Amino acid sequence: MKGLITRNLKIYFSDKSGIFFSLMGAMISFVLYLIFLSQNMIQSWSSVPDTKLLLDPWLIGGTMTITAITTTLSSLSLMVQDRESNVLADLSLTDVSFLGIQFSYLITAMIVGVIMQLVMYLMMGVYFMIVDKSNLSIAILPQVVGIAILSSFIWTLFNLLLLSFVKKVDTLGKVGTIVGTASGFLAGVYMPIGVLPKAVQEVMKYTPALYNTAMYRDVLMKSQLHQSFKNLPTAISTEFKETMGISVKFGSQVLTIQQDVLIISGFAVVISLLAILISNFSRRAVISKV
């Protein structure tokens, strides 16, 4: 299985255009923020000190969630390519079990997701540190890495489930476009959750993206939130967190980061069960081609 993982990683990182397009959704959110969103949000929260220093990590948190979604999808696309070209059927003749082959795709996608999230984190962090004098804290790096691993895990499972229904390579581009666009909205990057209609907010709460982003923002913004709101009423701080998707309000309860982790884990269990069921059908289909 180690050989398959190495093979998959080499294929992913040797495809420069594939890497670029897998980061397209993240780069779009970054550019939109710089050109349009930042000034509007700064004006909306003009009463809050150092608003820009708050919004920079706010964007980073959402963009890293988008990166986790799109890069794991791009990595798992190799599975569809192998399936259509009958490489998967050939691999099933080796001494690696079908389950081992599937795990090689999963582990590859997780590794890719973690690496690309950390790359985006460092790139955006350094940019904002130079341009806005934001603080790129090394102290929170272990937490960021931990969330990156969890993010890669949940979105690898989700995309495995999604691509189980994709049989043709020609369909991958369309799926990637839809997922890349939707991820920006579901992660609350293109528009903060608090400004969206209530019905849309409720839909977002039933996807992992919102909780994933909330975890990142809780860690990345904690220090600056304390600085910016220390002389302001608690009600303003609470409103800011709920409107900007830093804290998710489910019913009457505002969730903590620990509860966000539990919800993400719950999504992972459900998606895993569905993926296992579909994998059984895929295995029979592959074996029938041998």
Side-chain angles (χ1 to χ4, degrees):
M1 189 169 69
K2 183 179 178 181
L4 287 177
I5 294 170
T6 303
R7 170 221 178 224
N8 297 343
L9 287 171
K10 284 181 178 178
I11 291 174
Y12 177 84
F13 286 107
S14 64
D15 184 5
K16 300 299 186 288
S17 62
I19 294 174
F20 175 80
F21 285 110
S22 72
L23 292 172
M24 183 68 76
M27 289 187 288
I28 288 173
S29 71
F30 184 62
V31 173
L32 282 177
Y33 171 80
L34 295 179
I35 298 175
F36 301 111
L37 300 177
S38 61
Q39 280 306 117
N40 290 336
M41 287 191 279
I42 288 170
Q43 291 172 6
S44 299
W45 298 99
S46 57
S47 61
V48 179
D50 299 321
T51 313
K52 182 165 281 192
L53 297 182
L54 272 176
L55 293 177
D56 289 347
W58 176 87
L59 172 75
I60 292 174
T63 304
M64 287 180 71
T65 296
I66 296 174
T67 304
I69 296 171
T70 57
T71 57
T72 54
L73 176 67
S74 179
S75 177
L76 285 171
S77 297
L78 178 62
M79 180 180 66
V80 178
Q81 296 170 20
D82 286 348
R83 186 190 302 145
E84 185 179 9
S85 61
N86 289 328
V87 171
L88 192 56
D90 294 338
L91 290 174
S92 66
L93 294 174
T94 66
D95 57 356
V96 181
S97 67
F98 183 81
L99 188 62
I101 296 170
Q102 296 296 104
F103 266 111
S104 72
Y105 293 120
L106 290 175
I107 295 171
T108 301
M110 282 192 62
I111 293 171
V112 166
V114 171
I115 291 173
M116 300 312 289
Q117 284 178 86
L118 295 179
V119 167
M120 289 300 296
Y121 172 66
L122 292 173
M123 286 175 58
M124 290 185 291
V126 169
Y127 174 85
F128 288 129
M129 185 171 64
I130 295 171
V131 175
D132 296 336
K133 310 303 179 186
S134 294
N135 180 32
L136 183 63
S137 176
I138 302 298
I140 62 172
L141 189 57
Q143 293 171 279
V144 171
V145 172
I147 297 172
I149 293 171
L150 181 59
S151 303
S152 291
F153 178 65
I154 181 65
W155 292 112
T156 295
L157 291 175
F158 176 86
N159 287 319
L160 175 68
L161 181 63
L162 178 66
L163 293 183
S164 297
F165 300 98
V166 177
K167 306 302 180 187
K168 299 291 183 182
V169 173
D170 293 342
T171 313
L172 286 174
K174 299 171 186 175
V175 172
T177 301
I178 294 169
V179 170
T181 304
S183 62
F185 287 102
L186 295 175
V189 178
Y190 296 160
M191 296 182 72
I193 184 173
V195 304
L196 296 170
K198 291 292 183 183
V200 177
Q201 293 183 33
E202 291 303 313
V203 171
M204 291 172 68
K205 290 175 184 178
Y206 287 94
T207 70
L210 187 62
Y211 306 97
N212 195 163
T213 304
M215 287 191 297
Y216 269 128
R217 288 173 176 165
D218 185 274
V219 170
L220 295 172
M221 299 176 69
K222 180 174 284 187
S223 176
Q224 189 58 48
L225 280 169
H226 175 72
Q227 291 295 321
S228 295
F229 288 96
K230 63 182 179 181
N231 296 320
L232 294 176
T234 304
I236 297 179
S237 174
T238 301
E239 180 189 1
F240 180 84
K241 289 179 181 179
E242 293 178 8
T243 301
M244 300 301 290
I246 303 161
S247 299
V248 180
K249 188 174 183 180
F250 207 98
S252 59
Q253 183 179 6
V254 178
L255 303 179
T256 64
I257 187 171
Q258 291 81 9
Q259 290 170 320
D260 290 332
V261 171
L262 288 174
I263 290 172
I264 288 284
S265 301
F267 273 113
V269 170
V270 173
I271 295 170
S272 296
L273 292 174
L274 291 173
I276 289 170
L277 288 174
I278 293 173
S279 177
N280 289 332
F281 290 106
S282 298
R283 183 179 181 225
R284 285 195 287 269
V286 169
I287 290 174
S288 67
K289 293 181 180 181
V290 178

